[in-house]
Amino acid sequence: KNEVEQSPQNLTAQEGEFITINCSYSVGISALHWLQQHPGGGIVSLFMLSSGKKKHGRLIATINIQEKHSSLHITASHPRDSAVYICAASTGTASKLTFGTGTRLQVTL
Amino acid sequence: DGGITQSPKYLFRKEGQNVTLSCEQNLNHDAMYWYRQDPGQGLRLIYYSQIVNDFQKGDIAEGYSVSREKKESFPLTVTSAQKNPTAFYLCASSISETGSNSPLHFGNGTRLTVT
């Protein structure tokens, strides 16, 4: 069974700071998902990647398949980025996703 | 705009009662999923459905039941047999379960409290 670990569990940053959230997994995967959970509970899919790097606005996701590690970066952080960020590793289809416990990010003014 | 609607947002029930959580999607997705989220734990899969009139147990199906009579709808019933039903329940969908990896679309969740 795949184990997915995220670090840190909690993160506080000041507006404008560069943020990195890490995700490691124990077995080979077909894809790695990054999700954002808003304070109200709804979840939005940010990225799905199987190699290299993807960028969307101020968000960048990278993955190193050999090291079984992925990172989510947020440049020029803003209070509206405050949320829980969850990584999930897939060993096949969506029903084979293993979710991390999330990183709670708080960005202050 | 297409999306997933879960209702209600908050649900309160007495122990011993069955309760049904609603999930509707207008994304024309074939696959739908139910997850449970507890504090300090990752999401866990309860049931999923690849297509209408078909569904499969996930990792924690005991005490739950589902139906998939329409493509758009995938209701979850939390039965009195579920030992710890109080949790946050999330419904999701994807274009396909059996194809290549496709992103998940989530609803806003239902918080169930059983006393």
Side-chain angles (χ1 to χ4, degrees), chain A residues 14-20 53 55-61 72-81 85 105 107:
Chain A
Q14 284 200 311
E15 185 177 9
E17 284 186 14
F18 181 84
I19 288 161
T20 296
K53 176 170 137 176
K55 184 175 188 292
H56 185 256
R58 295 180 295 106
L59 301 177
I60 303 166
L72 176 68
H73 306 285
I74 304 175
T75 62
S77 60
H78 189 276
R80 64 175 175 267
D81 296 326
Y85 292 85
L105 171 65
V107 181

Side-chain angles (χ1 to χ4, degrees), chain A residues 15-47:
Chain A
E15 185 177 9
E17 284 186 14
F18 181 84
I19 288 161
T20 296
I21 298 170
N22 298 299
C23 176
S24 60
Y25 49 92
S26 59
V27 302
I29 63 170
S30 58
L32 192 290
H33 299 246
W34 280 103
L35 311 169
Q36 180 191 54
Q37 186 168 29
H38 299 296
I43 292 179
V44 173
S45 179
L46 298 175
F47 296 103

Side-chain angles (χ1 to χ4, degrees), chain A residues 1 30-31 33 35 37-45 48 84 86 90-102, chain B residues 9 33 35 37 40-45 48 59 88 90 94 96-99 101-109 111:
Chain A
K1 184 169 168 59
S30 58
H33 299 246
L35 311 169
Q37 186 168 29
H38 299 296
I43 292 179
V44 173
S45 179
M48 184 180 67
V84 175
I86 300 169
S90 174
T91 54
T93 54
S95 64
K96 305 288 189 294
L97 278 170
T98 301
F99 293 82
T101 56
Chain B
K9 190 170 176 62
Y33 312 84
Y35 294 96
Q37 188 177 39
Q41 296 192 43
L43 274 68
R44 292 181 291 167
L45 182 64
Y48 67 100
D59 300 319
F88 188 60
L90 283 153
S94 65
S96 169
E97 161 62 13
T98 56
N101 287 291
S102 58
L104 286 172
H105 296 255
F106 286 86
N108 286 327
R111 190 167 298 280

